[in-house]
Amino acid sequence: MPTFPCRYRAFILLITFLIYTCYHMSRKPISVVKSRLHHNCSEVIQPVNSTHSLNDTTWCNWAPFDKSNYKELLGAVDNAFLVAYAIGMFISGIFGERLPLRYYLTAGMLLSGLFTSLFGLGYFWNIHVLWYFVLVQIFNGLVQTTGWPAVVSCVGNWFGKGKRGLIMGIWNSHTSVGNILGSLLAGVWVDQQWGLSFVVPGVITAIMGIITFFFLIEYPEDVDCSPPQHHGNPEESQDQPEDPANGPSCNKESSLESAVTCSKEASAQPSAISFFGALRIPGVVEFSLCLLFAKLVSYTFLYWLPLYISNVVHFTAKEAGDLSTLFDVGGIIGGILAGLVSDYINGRATTCCVMLILAAPMMFLYNHVGQRGIGISIVMLLICGALVNGPYALITTAVSADLGTHKSLKGNAKALSTVTAIIDGTGSIGAALGPLLAGLISPTGWNNVFYMLIAADVLACLLLCRLVYKEILAWKSSLSKDRGYREM
């Protein structure tokens, strides 16, 4: 019954999509709530029974973020999460290879929901000490590292290399969808009880963790389906065609020979790869360092864009949060486009490099002309989102899967979790640096923040030059062979 494998594959894409949507949804509220923790109190009408003096300009803010150094304090809260995430990611991939993914993801989501909710409960418990919010963010950053290596490994277990860029480009829109949902949910309560902006996403994340425990299928062999072929010559591909949606399968009605083959594949579990062994895979170092700078740019927008819009255009916290979602809408388009183009030209590095080159001038233009009208702002946010998040999405999905199933591994797909963790862990260092630098630089002017982002974008592009050159040589070699065949 060949329809079952197709349904299982579609189901795996859906459930892993929802899992990581929840992870990102729980990260986003802090960027929306920032402008509520410290804003211009003169624009807010004091309640009649208020005990604050009329000259008090900080009465409506939330201590300890009511002082003039609030940007540095908010940057410290961001960095508590991001540094813990970056450190934990290198360890998470090792655990992801050695523990059942279903249990690993379930525990991670339940704990992530808990710590996200604890941040919001600080509002209801009337907590005004910085260490509480920093500590909660540190623990949340550590448990959130369970997500990415595990979901990429799970998808890698089910899908081969064919059309991987397009499939993962569409699938990776969970990042932007999660950001959008997080912004919209946070916006509902940000101007009243901002604690609910964290509690509600936290509860949803925990519920999704319970769903994961009952329904996630880690391997095709668990439901009598054959694993995908990550490599193989054209002749083998013709004998055993492998399509991402209708891959080869073995079920209860398969032949005895097919069943024996599947049983052997299921029982043959290769050993996990070492950290340094993963680093020796060609391209891992270059793409990891490139992602460091690409993620620096992306996460600076993620954490600081609503506050930038609020400060420059003087929107309310909800309006700024809603407008910032357009950057993530552009990210969805950019991720799909990057995957489609990279599949078509067979050049992951070249696709990333071109988008990074285009992103630099677009960020410059957005800062200088993007706030001259709502129409211009919408268009510029969509374009910047596509160009900034396109390479980031491609590297963390299709590139990670390609390298984690590289031919040098001789079929050891268990390396996928470690490779994914190394690439995303290195990128997470940039994710931690970006918001930190933005918090330190923004008091000197938003122009300087954008110059920092443009410089990081250029460095990301330069790190791919060697891989782009190799791809160009491969294209030339392929063209030469095609001409030779035609002449014969």
Side-chain angles (χ1 to χ4, degrees):
M1 298 175 67
T3 55
F4 284 118
C6 178
R7 290 175 185 173
Y8 283 133
R9 288 168 187 263
F11 175 72
I12 291 301
L13 281 181
L14 176 62
I15 193 170
T16 51
F17 181 95
L18 294 175
I19 287 169
Y20 213 69
T21 294
C22 289
Y23 272 104
H24 256 266
M25 177 184 66
S26 63
R27 296 179 197 176
K28 184 63 176 178
I30 183 64
S31 68
V32 177
V33 174
K34 274 179 183 175
S35 55
R36 178 64 183 84
L37 298 176
H38 186 105
H39 60 166
N40 190 349
C41 296
S42 63
E43 298 176 354
V44 183
I45 300 175
Q46 286 196 34
V48 177
N49 59 352
S50 174
T51 58
H52 300 280
S53 68
L54 295 175
N55 296 324
D56 186 358
T57 60
T58 64
W59 68 269
C60 66
N61 294 329
W62 189 267
F65 307 105
D66 55 340
K67 303 296 189 293
S68 59
N69 65 338
Y70 73 99
K71 288 183 179 178
E72 288 85 348
L73 296 182
L74 290 171
V77 172
D78 288 343
N79 243 44
F81 175 93
L82 293 167
V83 170
Y85 185 87
I87 295 171
M89 184 59 73
F90 290 104
I91 305 170
S92 180
I94 298 172
F95 285 114
E97 281 189 14
R98 293 161 174 81
L99 296 175
L101 296 178
R102 184 164 62 92
Y103 297 153
Y104 195 50
L105 280 169
T106 298
M109 296 193 78
L110 290 173
L111 289 171
S112 180
L114 171 65
F115 289 116
T116 301
S117 298
L118 282 174
F119 195 103
L121 289 173
Y123 170 84
F124 298 102
W125 294 341
N126 204 29
I127 295 175
H128 294 279
V129 289
L130 182 65
W131 68 262
Y132 173 82
F133 299 103
V134 169
L135 202 60
V136 168
Q137 287 290 78
I138 288 173
F139 285 118
N140 200 9
L142 289 173
V143 298
Q144 286 245 340
T145 62
T146 58
W148 190 241
V151 294
V152 172
S153 292
C154 191
V155 172
N157 291 335
W158 281 85
F159 291 90
K161 195 171 182 179
K163 299 181 181 177
R164 180 181 275 164
L166 175 60
I167 290 173
M168 286 198 156
I170 297 172
W171 174 75
N172 190 64
S173 62
H174 51 48
T175 299
S176 297
V177 172
N179 291 341
I180 292 168
L181 288 175
S183 295
L184 296 178
L185 284 174
V188 173
W189 295 284
V190 65
D191 290 322
Q192 288 81 38
Q193 296 179 314
W194 60 259
L196 290 174
S197 298
F198 294 90
V199 173
V200 173
V203 171
I204 294 173
T205 301
I207 291 172
M208 191 63 211
I210 297 172
I211 294 172
T212 300
F213 177 79
F214 286 106
F215 296 105
L216 182 67
I217 305 170
E218 298 179 33
Y219 300 99
E221 299 92 327
D222 294 341
V223 285
D224 295 329
C225 297
S226 62
Q229 289 186 344
H230 296 289
H231 300 284
N233 56 44
E235 289 77 16
E236 290 173 337
S237 298
Q238 289 176 3
D239 293 336
Q240 294 179 327
E242 191 265 325
D243 179 78
N246 301 287
S249 66
C250 55
N251 49 50
K252 294 179 181 178
E253 297 182 13
S254 299
S255 66
L256 178 61
E257 181 181 353
S258 178
V260 171
T261 302
C262 290
S263 177
K264 288 180 179 178
E265 288 174 348
S267 61
Q269 294 293 333
S271 60
I273 193 172
S274 68
F275 180 87
F276 293 104
L279 284 177
R280 288 195 292 269
I281 299 172
V284 166
V285 173
E286 288 95 333
F287 276 116
S288 296
L289 293 175
C290 173
L291 185 62
L292 186 152
F293 292 105
K295 210 166 178 179
L296 183 154
V297 177
S298 180
Y299 267 66
T300 302
F301 275 99
L302 173 68
Y303 280 91
W304 288 92
L305 182 58
L307 184 61
Y308 168 76
I309 294 172
S310 180
N311 285 355
V312 174
V313 192
H314 305 296
F315 280 3
T316 66
K318 185 180 186 306
E319 290 170 341
D322 291 345
L323 185 60
S324 71
T325 61
L326 292 172
F327 182 83
D328 294 299
V329 174
I332 296 174
I333 299 170
I336 296 173
L337 184 63
L340 183 64
V341 171
S342 68
D343 277 344
Y344 181 76
I345 67 174
N346 193 26
R348 310 286 197 212
T350 304
T351 303
C352 291
C353 197
V354 170
M355 296 185 82
L356 289 167
I357 290 171
L358 295 174
M362 292 308 301
M363 286 190 288
F364 180 84
L365 289 173
Y366 172 67
N367 182 44
H368 284 82
V369 303
Q371 312 305 330
R372 293 184 179 178
I374 189 67
I376 296 175
S377 185
I378 290 172
V379 172
M380 294 294 290
L381 278 172
L382 289 171
I383 295 174
C384 286
L387 295 175
V388 168
N389 284 336
Y392 161 38
L394 187 63
I395 294 172
T396 54
T397 53
V399 170
S400 295
D402 287 350
L403 296 175
T405 55
H406 193 268
K407 59 186 178 182
S408 65
L409 297 170
K410 299 179 181 179
N412 182 6
K414 286 183 72 69
L416 184 52
S417 182
T418 298
V419 170
T420 301
I422 289 173
I423 292 176
D424 202 51
T426 306
S428 297
I429 296 173
L433 284 174
L436 172 65
L437 291 174
L440 296 174
I441 297 173
S442 56
T444 67
W446 286 106
N447 285 345
N448 294 330
V449 174
F450 275 87
Y451 293 146
M452 178 266 291
L453 296 178
I454 292 169
D457 187 85
V458 172
L459 287 171
C461 183
L462 292 175
L463 285 163
L464 293 180
C465 286
R466 188 184 72 86
L467 297 179
V468 171
Y469 179 68
K470 287 180 65 176
E471 288 180 354
I472 293 173
L473 290 179
W475 294 338
K476 290 175 67 176
S477 176
S478 179
L479 287 173
S480 299
K481 289 180 181 179
D482 290 342
R483 288 172 183 168
Y485 287 135
R486 281 197 293 269
E487 287 174 2
M488 291 173 65

